[in-house]
Amino acid sequence: MPDKPIISILGGTGAQGSALALRWVNAGYPVVIGSRNGRKAGQACEHISGQIKSASISHDDNVGAAAKGQIVVLCVPYASQRSTVESVRAALGGKILVDATVPLVPPKVARVQLPEGGSAVAAIQAMLGDSVKVVSAFQNVAAHVLGDLSSAVDCDVLVCGNDVAARETVIKLAADIGVRAIHAGPISNSAAAEALTSILISINSRYKVSGAGMRITGLDLTRK
Ligand SMILES: NC(=O)c1ccc[n+]([C@@H]2O[C@H](COP(=O)([O-])OP(=O)(O)OC[C@H]3O[C@@H](n4cnc5c(N)ncnc54)[C@H](OP(=O)(O)O)[C@@H]3O)[C@@H](O)[C@H]2O)c1
């Protein structure tokens, strides 16, 4: 894989996907926005290229984007997670699928309501089988925090996946956009990151803030 792989973001027109796209384009990654709506995707690209000179950004439908991406990132609401992955499944073989899905169940999004089996992202790994390396990440960082290039991202994200090398790749992708990402074990552990989002939403509400995040302490990341 060349120095900077093509990152395709399914749901890249949304809050989390477009913020990640902005950060990765700013870090010099070629990004493809995947969307069901070409006009909306074009606007998302213009929004990014308007902020970043020499941006490498384009768009396609989700199937086309998944085919073009060397790494595919999923940023759609939980209710459409499975159907979106089903629709692009043929393009995912051999790739890393980074899944930011949180199984929120409106209207009680500040209450942990994990699906049967525990983790929404682990369910996608089970559905796809081992030929796709599913990595769970970015559940615990708010879109508006990622979307503000003028501020550092003051929180950690947990990275879960069964393939350690795939987790390492995603940790580097996060580091390149200024996000400290931490190995957090196999894909089943994603349940904890997914649950934590509802807790952060609850903290936001209780303390009247909008971007509560969390830090893992006690680490010396110079030693592995
Ligand atoms: N927002 C945050 O701060 C945040 C933080 C951490 C994790 N997350 C998680 O990241 C994921 C995306 O969150 P978001 O806030 O970015 O969501 P969003 O803005 O509501 O939606 C993201 C995109 O998903 C696509 N989409 C919406 N409904 C769809 C459907 N029925 N079928 C297929 N695609 C559909 C849309 O893209 P097109 O219309 O262009 O196809 C939309 O722009 C969620 O699972 C969320 O829990 C969000």
Side-chain angles (χ1 to χ4, degrees):
M1 196 177 286
D3 183 33
K4 291 223 172 9
I6 298 167
I7 301 175
S8 288
I9 305 180
L10 314 182
T13 57
Q16 192 74 337
S18 63
L20 284 168
L22 178 70
R23 289 255 171 194
W24 275 317
V25 167
N26 191 46
Y29 283 86
V31 170
V32 181
I33 298 281
S35 170
R36 299 164 301 166
N37 181 324
R39 193 177 56 83
K40 196 171 151 189
Q43 287 169 351
C45 290
E46 279 168 27
H47 178 70
I48 289 173
S49 53
Q51 294 180 69
I52 298 164
K53 268 191 199 167
S54 68
S56 177
I57 179 92
S58 60
H59 65 88
D60 206 331
D61 58 31
N62 283 328
V63 174
K68 288 174 185 168
Q70 291 163 287
I71 292 175
V72 180
V73 180
L74 183 66
C75 284
V76 299
Y78 173 54
S80 46
Q81 179 206 29
R82 182 170 283 262
S83 59
T84 302
V85 174
E86 292 272 19
S87 73
V88 302
R89 182 178 193 146
L92 296 178
K95 296 181 184 175
I96 294 173
L97 175 68
V98 183
D99 191 348
T101 301
V102 180
L104 298 177
V105 185
K108 295 190 173 167
V109 294
R111 179 175 298 182
V112 176
Q113 300 179 79
L114 295 181
E116 202 177 322
S119 157
V121 182
I124 293 301
Q125 178 69 84
M127 179 185 116
L128 291 171
D130 292 343
S131 71
V132 183
K133 296 178 174 75
V134 179
V135 177
S136 153
F138 303 111
Q139 277 87 359
N140 305 139
V141 56
H144 71 89
V145 171
L146 285 171
D148 179 4
L149 291 180
S150 68
S151 293
V153 177
D154 183 21
C155 67
D156 290 342
V157 299
L158 301 175
V159 177
C160 303
N162 295 338
D163 187 284
V164 175
R167 288 201 316 247
E168 199 66 44
T169 297
V170 176
I171 286 169
K172 179 172 178 351
L173 291 180
D176 285 352
I177 57 172
V179 177
R180 194 174 82 146
I182 309 287
H183 282 280
I187 199 70
S188 56
N189 285 1
S190 176
E194 294 165 32
L196 188 54
T197 303
S198 287
I199 293 170
L200 292 171
I201 292 169
S202 174
I203 291 170
N204 279 340
S205 168
R206 180 67 182 82
Y207 291 90
K208 301 194 180 351
V209 296
S210 60
M214 60 93 205
R215 283 282 189 207
I216 302 295
T217 62
L219 297 180
D220 177 358
L221 294 181
T222 60
R223 293 189 313 164
K224 292 211 174 168

